[in-house]
Amino acid sequence: MTGFWLEHALIDGLVRTGVRIEQEAGSITLVADGPAHPSDTLLSGLTLPGIANGHSHAFHRALRGRTHAQGGDFWAWREQMYAVAAGLDAERYYALATAFYAELLLAGYTAVGEFHYLHRDPTTVMADAVIAAARDAGIRLTLLDTLYRHGGRDENGTALAPSEAQRPFISSIPVWLARHESLVLRGNARRGAAIHSLRAVDPDDVARIVAATGDEPLHAHVSEQPAENAQVVAAFGRSPVALLRDAGALGPRFTAVHATHLTPDDITDLSGSFVCFCPTTERDLGDGIGPARALHDAGATLTIGSDQHVVVDPFDELRALEGHERLATGRRGIFSPLELITAATIDGYRSLGWVGGLAVGAVCDLVTVRTGSPRTAGASLDQLWLAASGADVMDVVVGGERVVTSGAHRLGDVGAALATALATAIGAVLP
């Protein structure tokens, strides 16, 4: 058993001062007001529950700061992403993912949903690299093993053969099922499943994955681009959400990622499911502004992710989730501060198959934010996350282990590690 004493902590929606937490085997066993014990680790600032990054493609980190000069759209950006994927092997991916996951931790993310489709079928070598990277960096991982069968669809909805650049993503159903079953994750890592999109799989494929994956978390890209919707409707006469509904995918284990371009019926259908918004990516790629409040009011549960990692900062994602709604509606306060932080913490954890929060029985994942930085000084503690940035994260605990102390990750200089990994990963691929 180990203990932590929290100067301030967000518990059950309220900020409390002077809170002790005890943990055993990575789970919280006590939450109580009171003084510190002599052996406690003292965490000064405001401690939040662990923050989940619900949607990540770790290898996309290689594109940051390299895709802006030529303009274009989502589809042009995608070609650059393919070039990076083609240059990665397991060793390079391990180095990149380890440094990147350390970056996530420094910013306050304690869990990540890795939407993993960079395979080397029929082996698990690339998945093994991601799993090892998460373990060594110290982040909690849900590996969302992703089915990706087609290269896309044309305007008539016809499935396209994969391009040479897409071949590392492609799996047949039998290969995917065998590989998925062989993935064994323990400790702070667990297995989940993902459907890339209805551009990349067929409805029958979805039904087979739903049947084969039990109660595992199940995620899918949904309606990120209008062209995606048009292609799927041309192919099947229904929206991506309707197809997922009819295949039995929707419900309490399902997360729709992006969900930017939805019909009113789609919004209704997603009641009871999670929806993961990635606002900094959605604005960077010109995806659009999704109907976040309408989904929330219809009964969907919102979470956040950083997707292609043009920004790694959970507080920026939360401000953008609210800010995009303000731009769309002309009103402020579309979401309360508590609704926003709950999306990032407790609800984000549930979407990845974990129990988060500062409560007995939850995993002992903690994020402590400075209260007196140039950004947070003077902010009300119950709104601090709308003033803070990732640079204000001082201490991070995952599974009861301190992985960030006074703003430094246990692996050392993360910037240098990223620079080395990125130079190796993309030096021969991108200018």
Side-chain angles (χ1 to χ4, degrees):
M1 182 272 292
T2 56
F4 298 89
W5 187 84
L6 317 179
E7 182 184 16
H8 307 289
L10 181 68
I11 299 173
D12 295 331
L14 298 173
V15 174
R16 288 160 51 179
T17 297
V19 176
R20 283 198 73 246
I21 283 182
E22 292 180 357
Q23 73 84 33
E24 188 168 356
S27 295
I28 295 174
T29 56
L30 173 74
V31 178
D33 297 331
H37 289 194
S39 61
D40 286 349
T41 298
L42 307 184
L43 298 180
S44 298
L46 175 65
T47 296
L48 304 171
I51 297 174
N53 188 323
H55 188 66
S56 165
H57 305 291
F59 74 94
H60 288 192
R61 173 60 180 84
L63 293 168
R64 186 189 300 170
R66 291 177 169 268
T67 65
H68 303 287
Q70 302 304 315
D73 57 12
F74 168 86
W75 307 101
W77 169 89
R78 192 177 67 154
E79 294 304 315
Q80 295 173 290
M81 179 268 287
Y82 287 159
V84 169
L88 288 173
D89 59 17
E91 183 178 359
R92 293 190 184 100
Y93 201 14
Y94 166 78
L96 175 57
T98 302
F100 167 66
Y101 288 153
E103 180 186 4
L104 287 185
L105 287 157
L106 286 174
Y109 289 114
T110 49
V112 61
E114 185 60 37
F115 201 98
H116 174 68
Y117 56 78
L118 186 50
H119 307 302
R120 292 288 185 268
D121 279 345
T123 75
T124 63
V125 61
M126 297 300 274
D128 294 341
V130 169
I131 295 164
R135 180 191 64 233
D136 293 347
I139 201 165
R140 189 175 300 278
L141 172 71
T142 299
L143 184 77
L144 299 164
D145 186 32
T146 304
L147 177 67
Y148 195 134
R149 285 197 56 219
H150 307 310
R153 299 188 185 277
D154 64 18
E155 64 275 11
N156 299 314
T158 302
L160 302 174
S163 67
E164 190 61 34
Q166 290 173 311
R167 292 194 182 280
F169 311 156
I170 303 299
S171 300
S172 68
I173 288 284
V175 167
W176 187 91
L177 290 170
R179 187 188 64 239
H180 187 74
E181 186 64 26
S182 72
L183 291 170
V184 179
L185 289 83
R186 300 183 178 89
N188 289 341
R190 67 172 302 156
R191 188 176 67 185
I195 296 148
H196 181 271
S197 65
L198 269 299
R199 296 182 64 255
V201 305
D202 297 327
D204 288 347
D205 302 329
V206 177
R208 291 187 68 179
I209 298 306
V210 168
T213 53
D215 61 354
E216 295 178 16
L218 177 65
H219 291 219
H221 293 132
V222 176
S223 297
E224 182 177 3
Q225 286 280 323
E228 171 192 341
N229 285 349
Q231 292 161 3
V232 171
V233 170
F236 304 108
R238 286 166 290 166
S239 72
V241 171
L243 290 167
L244 289 162
R245 177 200 65 207
D246 294 346
L250 304 187
R253 72 177 177 118
F254 179 75
T255 298
V257 180
H258 301 303
T260 310
H261 302 280
L262 301 180
T263 68
D265 286 344
D266 292 338
I267 293 172
T268 299
D269 284 340
L270 286 168
S271 173
S273 296
F274 294 94
V275 177
C276 183
F277 279 84
C278 306
T280 61
T281 284
E282 288 148 11
R283 73 182 181 217
D284 180 72
L285 296 180
D287 288 342
I289 297 173
R293 188 70 221 189
L295 282 160
H296 181 278
D297 290 345
T301 300
L302 304 187
T303 69
I304 60 165
S306 62
D307 192 0
Q308 58 135 340
H309 317 305
V310 67
V311 174
V312 167
D313 187 330
F315 311 111
D316 199 359
E317 301 293 347
L318 292 180
R319 282 190 294 271
L321 184 62
E322 164 70 14
H324 289 179
E325 283 284 314
R326 294 183 184 187
L327 289 172
T329 66
R331 296 187 295 112
R332 302 179 77 245
I334 306 302
F335 293 102
S336 72
L338 183 58
E339 285 175 327
L340 291 169
I341 197 62
T342 301
T345 57
I346 294 170
D347 290 342
Y349 264 57
R350 287 199 297 126
S351 77
L352 298 178
W354 302 99
V355 177
L358 302 185
V360 172
V363 295
C364 187
D365 293 1
L366 316 173
V367 179
T368 302
V369 182
R370 287 194 296 170
T371 57
S373 79
R375 291 158 295 278
T376 60
S380 175
L381 290 180
D382 60 2
Q383 300 181 37
L384 192 81
W385 47 92
L386 295 178
S389 80
D392 296 313
V393 172
M394 296 304 294
D395 296 281
V396 176
V397 174
V398 177
E401 295 188 10
R402 203 173 184 184
V403 291
V404 173
T405 302
S406 300
H409 191 276
R410 69 185 185 186
L411 293 182
D413 189 337
V414 174
L418 278 165
T420 299
L422 289 165
T424 302
I426 64 178
V429 178
L430 296 179

